[in-house]
Amino acid sequence: MAEENPFDRVVEPWEAVMEDMAATATGYREAGYSVLELHPGDVAVENDERYGLDVLVPGEEYDELERVTAAATFDAYEVYHAREAGMTFLLLVLTDPEAEQAVCCPAYYDDRDAEALERRSHAEGAMHTHVRPLDDETWVTFTHDEPDLFFPA
């Protein structure tokens, strides 16, 4: 029996996440925020020294993310999630309310990867989202002190 192509499990729900991101970004813009929407090409679960979600974005988006994170402190966040076809889809909205800046970062993970990542996040007391360009030389890391938000029951 051929192994199921993960792309087939991701494509339709991912399109819905991207639509949700656009609507969420519009809401923040209407509230006066500047919003950076990220459009990942791939998302992977890392469980080594750089554990968390590894989010690959286009170079120009990454450059803008570096600029935005240098000028703002993203100390608030919300995590929206949905589960479908053995996958968990996330929309992470990071905000600096004082600077009225937001970053919308969609992500996903295979539920088979969740248990080890959830255990590690609880043991460490934090979850991480690492956003990087293709070269993997640099990345912007967001640390989240409420890992439960990433793992729906």
Side-chain angles (χ1 to χ4, degrees), residues 17-124:
V17 170
M18 299 307 282
E19 289 171 9
D20 289 346
M21 178 177 69
T24 300
T26 296
Y28 274 91
R29 286 185 182 106
E30 289 172 354
Y33 278 68
S34 294
V35 181
L36 173 60
E37 296 175 63
L38 300 178
H39 298 84
D42 192 26
V43 180
V45 170
E46 296 291 333
N47 205 8
D48 53 17
E49 66 276 351
R50 192 174 73 172
Y51 76 94
L53 297 174
D54 179 11
V55 181
L56 174 66
V57 297
E60 58 278 354
E61 285 186 5
Y62 181 79
D63 293 343
E64 180 66 10
L65 179 64
E66 279 191 314
R67 189 191 66 71
V68 166
T69 56
T73 303
F74 293 90
D75 52 3
Y77 62 93
E78 296 179 275
V79 182
Y80 303 95
H81 49 76
R83 294 179 74 195
E84 188 171 325
M87 303 290 290
T88 296
F89 296 89
L90 306 167
L91 176 57
L92 175 59
V93 182
L94 304 125
T95 59
D96 180 338
E98 189 174 307
E100 295 186 318
Q101 179 70 51
V103 174
C104 294
C105 181
Y108 60 86
Y109 59 82
D110 191 310
D111 289 344
R112 295 174 289 198
D113 297 326
E115 186 177 339
L117 183 59
E118 184 174 13
R119 245 191 341 264
R120 175 84 181 267
S121 296
H122 283 109
E124 301 282 343

Side-chain angles (χ1 to χ4, degrees), residues 121-142:
S121 296
H122 283 109
E124 301 282 343
M127 174 69 174
H128 302 286
T129 303
H130 310 283
V131 183
R132 66 178 178 86
L134 188 57
D135 67 18
D136 198 26
E137 297 288 321
T138 63
W139 57 85
V140 171
T141 297
F142 297 101

